[in-house]
Amino acid sequence: MSRQGKAYAYGLAAVLAWSTVATAFKISLEHLTPAQLVLYASTASFLVLLGVLAAQRRLPELACALRRHWKRSLLLGAVNPFVYYLVLFRAYDLLPAQEAQAINYTWALTMTLLAIPLLKQTPRRADVVAALVCYLGVLVIATRGEVLALHFSNFEGLVYALASTLLWAGYWIFNAKDEREPVIGLALNFGFALPMALVWCLLGDGLGQASLSGLLGAAYVGAFEMGLTFVAWLMAMKLTESTARIANLIFLSPLLSLALIHLIVGETIYPSTFVGLALILGGLALQKWLTRAPAAAA
């Protein structure tokens, strides 16, 4: 297989795995609270990442990175996975999976908008147009098509879903200057987040009597949302001849995810979800096109 072929294989594997996580979130939350799911999934992810580093014979690098970067690891670990997944899982707990996952796709646009005040970037016409289109899509999904009436299906869930995009986008903005190797950095984040998640559970929901279904769901989420999939995506980006070719694969994920939500979770997919998701993905695509057009002309 060619280098680019391997990049596509890794990229498609990551996209297919990410397409399943909304379903896995919803099923796991039938057996666990959001806090418990954060704890057990983070534990699974940490063990998976340690396994990857062990297989690569890079565990000594982890100890060195811990000594050099423990403050950054503590701060970023508090954001992701701890607070981010607490908020995201709460959104999935309150909303149908189809709505939560569709709104979560606006994080890329949120990152662009956050960069304006945080990085002092000048807003571009493409960003404004994309924001209007994407957030119209969010409004269609959140109101289930009753946009003019502004009747939200679950306003609290909407707030949590949008807050998760802010946390995720903010994490990646501050992560841009991270000197740590990505897999080692992620492993350190999860290592520092585990005590936080444990204390949060003990002070709140407790550890409970976790069922086998809940633990298996958490293990799947930890491995494929937080762990192995991240490594596969990094490999795809490392091997590809064109970042855009691999990045565009992510647009396959939402429709695959909706199909699994319908077939496995049993949700009836609302027409408003299709319309809103089309607006969100269209807004993101429009942002890319409007940004590239001037560059190509120049």
Side-chain angles (χ1 to χ4, degrees), residues 185-251:
L186 196 63
L188 289 174
N189 288 0
F190 277 93
F192 276 102
L194 282 177
M196 302 179 203
L198 178 60
V199 170
W200 187 265
C201 271
L202 293 176
L203 292 176
D205 303 320
L207 299 181
Q209 294 291 327
S211 66
L212 179 61
S213 297
L215 291 175
L216 289 175
Y220 184 89
V221 169
F224 292 102
E225 157 68 359
M226 303 171 174
L228 290 174
T229 312
F230 178 81
V231 176
W233 189 254
L234 281 178
M235 289 297 296
M237 299 301 281
K238 182 178 179 180
L239 290 169
T240 187
E241 299 166 1
S242 170
T243 301
R245 292 183 192 176
I246 298 301
N248 287 336
L249 292 176
I250 202 67
F251 286 96

Side-chain angles (χ1 to χ4, degrees), residues 108-116 121-135 283-284 286-291:
L109 177 64
T110 305
M111 184 166 64
T112 303
L113 297 179
L114 267 183
I116 295 171
Q121 293 183 358
T122 303
R124 301 167 300 183
R125 182 184 64 175
D127 300 329
V128 175
V129 173
L132 292 173
V133 175
C134 283
Y135 288 118
L284 294 174
L286 185 63
Q287 182 190 35
K288 280 190 174 183
W289 181 77
L290 289 174
T291 302

Side-chain angles (χ1 to χ4, degrees), residues 84-294:
Y84 168 68
Y85 281 105
L86 275 178
V87 172
L88 181 66
F89 292 157
R90 181 59 176 159
Y92 271 90
D93 203 29
L94 293 169
L95 294 171
Q98 60 185 288
E99 296 181 8
Q101 70 98 23
I103 294 169
N104 192 245
Y105 277 102
T106 63
W107 75 267
L109 177 64
T110 305
M111 184 166 64
T112 303
L113 297 179
L114 267 183
I116 295 171
L118 293 180
L119 302 180
K120 309 300 181 185
Q121 293 183 358
T122 303
R124 301 167 300 183
R125 182 184 64 175
D127 300 329
V128 175
V129 173
L132 292 173
V133 175
C134 283
Y135 288 118
L136 175 60
V138 170
L139 195 59
V140 169
I141 291 169
T143 61
R144 295 184 185 173
E146 297 183 36
V147 176
L148 296 179
L150 287 180
H151 177 70
F152 295 99
S153 61
N154 189 312
F155 186 73
E156 184 183 357
L158 171 64
V159 171
Y160 275 105
L162 290 174
S164 74
T165 69
L166 283 170
L167 287 165
W168 191 243
Y171 168 79
W172 283 108
I173 286 175
F174 289 112
N175 198 58
K177 297 181 179 179
D178 194 352
E179 299 174 359
R180 303 172 303 169
E181 191 279 331
V183 178
I184 287 177
L186 196 63
L188 289 174
N189 288 0
F190 277 93
F192 276 102
L194 282 177
M196 302 179 203
L198 178 60
V199 170
W200 187 265
C201 271
L202 293 176
L203 292 176
D205 303 320
L207 299 181
Q209 294 291 327
S211 66
L212 179 61
S213 297
L215 291 175
L216 289 175
Y220 184 89
V221 169
F224 292 102
E225 157 68 359
M226 303 171 174
L228 290 174
T229 312
F230 178 81
V231 176
W233 189 254
L234 281 178
M235 289 297 296
M237 299 301 281
K238 182 178 179 180
L239 290 169
T240 187
E241 299 166 1
S242 170
T243 301
R245 292 183 192 176
I246 298 301
N248 287 336
L249 292 176
I250 202 67
F251 286 96
L252 297 173
S253 184
L255 293 178
L256 290 173
S257 184
L258 285 181
L260 292 172
I261 289 168
H262 174 66
L263 294 172
I264 299 176
V265 180
E267 288 185 12
T268 299
I269 307 300
Y270 306 119
S272 56
T273 299
F274 286 114
V275 174
L277 186 58
L279 286 168
I280 290 170
L281 296 180
L284 294 174
L286 185 63
Q287 182 190 35
K288 280 190 174 183
W289 181 77
L290 289 174
T291 302
R292 286 178 185 170

